[in-house]
Amino acid sequence: MANTIKKDKINRANKSKSSENTGVILEANKPLSKSMLWKLQADFYSNQGPEAWIKGVVPQYITTNPYIANIYAKTVFGYCRDIASSDTFDVTTTIYIMELAAGVGRFTYTFLKRFLPMIEHSSLKGLKFKYIITDLAERNVTYWQNHSLLKPYFESGVLDCATFDMACDEELRLRYCGEVLREGELKNPLILIANYTFDSLPQDTFYVDKGELFEGLVTITSRGDQVDPEDQSILAGLDYDYTDEQIQGSSYYEDANMNEILLFYQDCLEDTAFSIPTVAISCINRLIKLSGDDIIVISTDKGYRNLSSMHNNYHPFLSKHGSISLTVNFHALELYFNSLGGKAIHSNYDHENVTMSLFLLSKRPHDFTETTLAYSEIVDHIGPDDFYIIKKAVIPHNKSLTTKELLTFLRYTVWDSRTFLEFYNTLLERISVEEDFPEDELITAIHNVWEHYFPIGEEGDLASCLGSLLAYFGHDIDAIKLYQSSLEFYGADAAVNYEIALCYYNLQELDKALEYIEKSLRIDPGFEESRKLKGIIEEM
């Protein structure tokens, strides 16, 4: 018989009150992983495609910035060193790096920017590897294939792409080379990257009370006319409530290892709810088979990494950001890997925003010293979450920092574009008035920031900002390249075309200058700066 959760638990779980809900029930008492919510989720990503990230609807910064990409590159590099040192490693075969739910592709680009030089300038030079970027949404795959900054990687053979449904797919059909990766065909381990991924996949939720195990069943209700006009998420106009139903027996799942996890939590938790990342486990299990029981999973997400972090939790709160996301039970993933003979490595301390965890399974007789060392040295010093916390603390005080300090911090971020834009106005104010302004250092920073940036046309035209600074310092040729990128990703713009024309004027390429003046005036016939520059050139 169903047993409704105590009222305070509902409030803490999702801040909704079932007693006040007078809407229409759309589905009642469903296992969370079987809810209609996940169809809405899949439709959202399929329909939105890259726009979900270009418009900033879905968060991505904390798991796609150059700092985290550098951490992953160093960790994967350590793993490759371990694999390459194994007696069973075949140097003629390819190591595959697979990214799940890659979205717009920003992490892919920033990772390759850091990883390729590491390989090229090390004892691993010549290592054969291929990075496979995947997503469920076909529109995202098309976007990657057409992106000008990814094309060189596709053409060189280090990058390929595929659609991949984490709920069911068992093989990979690579779009660029046409190869199909099936079970039994991989000769080397699979390196799997999952950032802000498992939190958006179906999960089940359970509750333990006095040694009894209950499943949390979700009911979805429409609020009718009571819709918040500001709510653009898939939950707009919907409420959700949980009900506990006692589980009888010990065979809830077909997978015996997952049932053992349930029994483990039943024995050691009290008055606490916990989740099981069912689709994440199923996906990893299929990829374990694909890799021949040789896999490393590196994941950064909002998650629980031990029992203490789950103490007195309640059924999942669904965070809304266009789509929905839930906190991931990394501890359950660890238990699952342990049941297969693998292991997990977590940070030694709690995190405020996200946690980065590593899961290892291998049939090779190896202790993965380099992998463990790389992970421990990086994550337990200043990991992705620490970086984000430090950055949030520094940015509000940027005006009180010296220019040298600003540029030093920018270098610390591995030339993060968002940090640069947050410093931009402060730098502009100082260029013409600060004695001994570090011009050369700023120009170097500009080139490095652009080198590590993956443009998608989001708010804040970085190319135009960087171009204006280079033009100010007389680097007109480089400024033109950046302005051209601005036009590529933001479309025709009278002001940007004028800036290009001005650069060509400074270079005394007057025909080119007139060409871009005309483009500027076709967009905005009244654009005064272009009209003036045209008059100056025609009078020469």
Side-chain angles (χ1 to χ4, degrees), residues 299-357:
S299 181
T300 297
D301 221 319
K302 50 184 184 180
Y304 305 119
R305 61 185 178 86
N306 52 35
L307 286 173
S308 63
S309 62
M310 293 187 285
H311 182 63
N312 283 143
N313 280 345
Y314 294 90
H315 292 305
F317 173 74
L318 307 182
S319 298
K320 299 189 294 184
H321 33 70
S323 58
I324 57 172
S325 63
L326 297 73
T327 303
V328 182
N329 188 350
F330 279 132
H331 182 261
L333 286 175
E334 177 180 8
L335 293 176
Y336 193 80
F337 267 79
N338 289 344
S339 72
L340 300 177
K343 68 175 184 177
I345 309 175
H346 307 291
S347 173
N348 289 324
Y349 54 93
D350 292 325
H351 296 279
E352 181 178 315
N353 303 284
V354 293
T355 187
M356 176 180 168
S357 291

Side-chain angles (χ1 to χ4, degrees), residues 108-371:
T108 304
Y109 179 77
T110 49
F111 175 89
L112 290 173
K113 274 290 176 184
R114 304 302 295 179
F115 185 66
L116 282 169
M118 291 180 191
I119 295 292
E120 184 65 23
H121 298 100
S122 74
S123 60
L124 296 181
K125 183 176 182 179
L127 181 79
K128 295 180 66 176
F129 80 92
K130 189 182 291 288
Y131 193 107
I132 306 170
I133 179 174
T134 73
D135 202 283
L136 176 65
E138 177 65 34
R139 288 181 61 191
N140 291 344
V141 178
T142 301
Y143 183 79
W144 308 328
Q145 290 178 299
N146 293 326
H147 199 291
S148 60
L149 294 189
L150 291 179
K151 281 186 177 181
Y153 295 113
F154 282 118
E155 293 168 356
S156 69
V158 301
L159 178 64
D160 216 313
C161 60
T163 55
F164 187 77
D165 187 341
M166 288 179 280
C168 60
D169 283 350
E170 298 179 350
E171 61 183 28
L172 284 166
R173 296 181 174 272
L174 307 186
R175 291 293 180 84
Y176 193 84
C177 71
E179 185 180 2
V180 181
L181 302 182
R182 298 184 176 91
E183 183 179 343
E185 294 182 357
L186 269 64
K187 305 301 180 184
N188 288 315
L190 177 65
I191 300 169
L192 189 65
I193 294 172
N195 292 335
Y196 267 170
T197 298
F198 298 149
D199 68 337
S200 300
L201 296 179
Q203 304 179 17
D204 283 325
T205 182
F206 302 90
Y207 170 61
V208 178
D209 185 33
K210 297 180 177 62
E212 301 293 340
L213 183 64
F214 300 83
E215 179 181 15
L217 303 176
V218 67
T219 294
I220 308 297
T221 310
S222 170
R223 277 183 266 145
D225 295 333
Q226 302 174 32
V227 179
D228 180 359
E230 300 296 320
D231 189 350
Q232 301 299 312
S233 75
I234 64 172
L235 287 179
L238 302 180
D239 276 328
Y240 63 96
D241 300 289
Y242 293 105
T243 300
D244 279 345
E245 186 173 90
Q246 187 168 357
I247 294 174
Q248 304 295 336
S250 58
S251 300
Y252 182 86
Y253 290 112
E254 293 182 6
D255 187 328
N257 291 326
M258 292 177 67
N259 288 325
E260 287 297 320
I261 294 173
L262 291 183
L263 292 174
F264 173 85
Y265 287 133
Q266 183 176 358
D267 288 342
C268 64
L269 295 178
E270 175 55 36
D271 190 24
T272 295
F274 64 92
S275 61
I276 299 292
T278 51
V279 172
I281 289 175
S282 170
C283 174
I284 290 171
N285 203 29
R286 280 177 275 115
L287 292 174
I288 286 173
K289 293 178 181 177
L290 178 69
S291 67
D293 297 336
D294 244 344
I295 194 170
I296 178 174
V297 181
I298 312 173
S299 181
T300 297
D301 221 319
K302 50 184 184 180
Y304 305 119
R305 61 185 178 86
N306 52 35
L307 286 173
S308 63
S309 62
M310 293 187 285
H311 182 63
N312 283 143
N313 280 345
Y314 294 90
H315 292 305
F317 173 74
L318 307 182
S319 298
K320 299 189 294 184
H321 33 70
S323 58
I324 57 172
S325 63
L326 297 73
T327 303
V328 182
N329 188 350
F330 279 132
H331 182 261
L333 286 175
E334 177 180 8
L335 293 176
Y336 193 80
F337 267 79
N338 289 344
S339 72
L340 300 177
K343 68 175 184 177
I345 309 175
H346 307 291
S347 173
N348 289 324
Y349 54 93
D350 292 325
H351 296 279
E352 181 178 315
N353 303 284
V354 293
T355 187
M356 176 180 168
S357 291
L358 185 151
F359 305 91
L360 272 168
L361 180 68
S362 181
K363 60 186 178 184
R364 302 165 190 259
H366 212 299
D367 56 8
F368 294 99
T369 304
E370 297 283 353
T371 308

